[in-house]
Amino acid sequence: MSSTHFSKTKTVPFFAACFPVICIAYGSGYNYSSIILLLACITSLCFKRHKPRLSSEEKLFLYTLCYYFISFVVLKLIHGEKWSFIDKPSRALLTIPIFIALLRYPPSWRSLAVGINIASICSAVVALYFLQNYPELRAFDGRIPNLWFEGYMQIQTGGMVTTFAMSSLAIALLEIKKKNYLFSIMSLIAFALASWASLQSESRGSWLLVPVATLVIIHYKFNLFRIKVILLTLVSISLAIATLSTNDTVTSRVNEAISDYSQYNSSTNAFTSVGIRLNLWKSASITFLENPLVGAGIDGRLEKRKSLGDAGIIDKQVSRMTYHEHNQFLEAASVTGIIGLSALITIFLVPLFLFFKILNRSSSSENAKNFSLLGIVSVVLMIGYCLTQAFFNHNSGTIFYLVWTSILLSASMKREAIFNEQ
């Protein structure tokens, strides 16, 4: 085997398997891990003289990435936005060579599972460091004076950690079927550690659709509608609630949210974490209804927010803030209208459709189905993150979702004859 062929067959899947670990272990890891993977993928494609021969399903995902980017280009021209408006969406184009190269050289199930578990364990190590050295801060707070941790964002990283935590849970249950009990136990430990780390981030939005993701995993592994599984699920949920109710971090965040809502509802104080979000969501909804097709643009959205504050429709103090809407769907609706919202929904629904199709296809291999399950869990959780945070308004959220989805989708769709070898 030549060194060139060795580098193509080993380097690309190696960096794909390392992606979860680097994302969590280093503050700006999401950036560096994606760049390294992109360079490895481009290099592998350059050495391949034949053009890729893609299936209709693979092309559908590529069309989705292109549509996401092109919609922002169109909206940039309509609203006269700065070129930075298409900076984050351009990551969709950079994902294309990663997806194509990984179709040819995907990571193995075991290597990616190990990478996920290591990432889960690393998250607990980082969270413990914060707890011991910066107890006044939430875990994954990037403001500490340490270059290694620069780039962490407690909400964004908290979401990534939650994704890997639930992935470790899925891996544990899947490995039981193969009777790999030791690896299953290690995955359960990784799940427990990452779950604890996620709680230390105090990112409430990251936990929103965890129950749904859990039900997806349990249903796939055990058939949710069996009486034993239903009883086991109810017992597990009860134990989880009982355990969480004794956790000071969880109870304080829940009580804080309830208090914030009570103050907002009684009009005593709208300038709280929940109160600000509710005001922003109200403003975004009104802005979208008045500009349904293409939205109001970034400046137009802020002007409308101010006018709503002046009219007393939303809190005036909140109306002067230049925050995003703290909800990716409402952010897309108010700024980019139906066009931008459709692009956002498409990058969720198309991968979800493809993952489910592979999962339900009788001809799919066991590993392909396993990758698809992880993909479904990842997409479901990301939708949850976007309900309380403009996740894609940050490089970390955009890069993480697009690259991680491409890794899982390419691994599940891998075909032996992607390139024409004539």
Side-chain angles (χ1 to χ4, degrees), residues 41-309:
C41 290
I42 291 177
T43 301
S44 72
L45 292 175
C46 287
F47 280 109
K48 197 67 184 178
R49 293 173 294 176
H50 305 288
K51 293 182 180 180
R53 185 160 51 86
L54 304 171
S55 70
S56 57
E57 293 177 355
E58 292 156 358
K59 289 179 181 178
L60 178 59
F61 180 63
L62 295 180
Y63 293 152
T64 301
L65 295 175
C66 291
Y67 174 63
Y68 183 71
F69 173 71
I70 291 172
S71 65
F72 277 86
V73 174
V74 172
L75 291 163
K76 177 249 182 294
L77 298 175
I78 291 174
H79 293 303
E81 303 286 1
K82 298 177 181 178
W83 284 106
S84 58
F85 182 75
I86 64 173
D87 178 51
K88 295 176 184 67
S90 68
R91 304 302 188 265
L93 296 183
L94 297 178
T95 306
I96 292 176
I98 293 177
F99 178 68
I100 294 176
L102 283 171
L103 282 171
R104 181 65 175 175
Y105 308 112
S108 66
W109 166 253
R110 179 51 64 94
S111 66
L112 196 63
V114 170
I116 290 170
N117 285 338
I118 293 175
S120 295
I121 295 170
C122 280
S123 69
V125 174
V126 175
L128 182 62
Y129 177 86
F130 273 88
L131 188 65
Q132 294 294 322
N133 295 278
Y134 302 95
E136 73 281 2
L137 298 177
R138 294 156 60 179
F140 310 109
D141 191 317
R143 295 175 298 174
I144 64 175
N146 188 316
L147 291 177
W148 185 269
F149 297 101
E150 184 178 342
Y152 278 130
M153 296 178 65
Q154 55 264 47
I155 294 178
Q156 306 292 107
T157 310
M160 297 179 197
V161 170
T162 304
T163 294
F164 295 136
M166 296 307 298
S167 297
S168 289
L169 175 62
I171 292 168
L173 296 182
L174 292 170
E175 289 297 319
I176 289 177
K177 184 178 180 181
K178 300 177 183 179
K179 297 183 179 180
N180 294 328
Y181 299 120
L182 180 60
F183 192 67
S184 180
I185 292 172
M186 291 176 61
S187 299
L188 282 175
I189 293 172
F191 159 68
L193 290 173
S195 298
W196 175 80
S198 175
L199 295 178
Q200 300 312 306
S201 74
E202 300 184 21
S203 178
R204 292 174 298 205
S206 298
W207 315 329
L208 197 59
L209 293 187
V210 165
V212 177
T214 304
L215 290 176
V216 169
I217 296 170
I218 293 174
H219 174 64
Y220 174 70
K221 181 63 180 70
F222 298 109
N223 186 344
L224 188 62
F225 300 106
R226 292 170 58 187
I227 298 299
K228 290 181 180 180
V229 176
I230 292 175
L231 292 176
L232 178 61
T233 302
L234 292 175
V235 171
S236 299
I237 291 174
S238 300
L239 290 174
I241 293 174
T243 302
L244 292 175
S245 64
T246 63
N247 187 292
D248 292 338
T249 301
V250 176
T251 55
S252 64
R253 292 294 285 171
V254 172
N255 291 334
E256 183 182 338
I258 295 173
S259 175
D260 287 356
Y261 178 75
S262 298
Q263 294 178 64
Y264 169 82
N265 199 40
S266 61
S267 300
T268 57
N269 181 18
F271 209 72
T272 63
S273 178
V274 173
I276 291 172
R277 279 175 166 79
L278 292 173
N279 274 284
L280 292 175
W281 295 351
K282 186 176 182 180
S283 171
S285 300
I286 295 172
T287 304
F288 170 63
L289 292 175
E290 293 184 358
N291 307 272
L293 183 58
V294 296
I298 295 176
D299 292 337
R301 176 266 303 272
L302 295 177
E303 291 173 4
K304 182 62 180 178
R305 187 185 293 172
K306 289 180 181 179
S307 67
L308 292 173

Side-chain angles (χ1 to χ4, degrees), residues 333-378:
S334 62
V335 175
T336 60
I338 292 174
I339 295 177
L341 185 59
S342 67
L344 175 65
I345 293 174
T346 299
I347 64 169
F348 286 137
L349 292 188
V350 169
L352 205 58
F353 164 75
L354 294 173
F355 282 129
F356 269 113
K357 191 172 183 179
I358 296 167
L359 195 66
N360 295 322
R361 186 183 294 153
S362 58
S363 59
S364 298
S365 67
E366 182 180 4
N367 284 343
K369 292 183 177 183
N370 292 347
F371 283 123
S372 295
L373 178 63
L374 296 187
I376 292 169
V377 169
S378 176

